[in-house]
Amino acid sequence: MSYEKLTQVQPKIVVGIKQVLKAIKNEVASEVYIATDADIRLTDPVVEFAKEANISVYRVDSMKKLGAACGIEVGTSAVAVKK
């Protein structure tokens, strides 16, 4: 996965575990990105919930890079792209 894709769809993203879970629950998420260096106890529920909802899950290597691709100055463990 390229971080460039996220920079191109910034208006259509939600950032953070709680917001991503909410987007999945409300059926507005089309795909989810998870940072592999994030705490697995936080990201596993997101991955499972996304799989149950038939939403593609992509893994990226860095929370810091994922946050930067989303236009924020801090790292993030999860991002969802809205439909």
Side-chain angles (χ1 to χ4, degrees):
M1 190 301 283
S2 171
Y3 293 104
E4 293 174 18
K5 179 178 181 188
L6 287 175
T7 60
Q8 293 170 357
V9 294
Q10 274 187 8
K12 292 175 57 176
I13 59 173
V14 290
V15 179
I17 297 287
K18 289 181 184 178
Q19 295 300 320
V20 169
L21 286 171
K22 187 177 176 180
I24 296 169
K25 180 181 177 185
N26 293 334
E27 299 178 356
V28 296
S30 63
E31 53 193 42
V32 172
Y33 294 86
I34 301 291
T36 56
D37 62 344
D39 187 342
I40 196 162
R41 292 176 293 165
L42 297 174
T43 58
D44 265 359
V46 175
V47 172
E48 291 303 315
F49 201 36
K51 286 182 181 178
E52 287 174 13
N54 284 334
I55 297 173
S56 300
V57 177
Y58 302 98
R59 302 226 180 234
V60 296
D61 62 342
S62 168
M63 288 175 57
K64 187 169 181 84
K65 289 179 186 176
L66 186 57
C70 296
I72 60 174
E73 294 182 14
V74 295
T76 186
S77 54
V79 173
V81 177
K82 294 189 280 183
K83 295 178 185 176

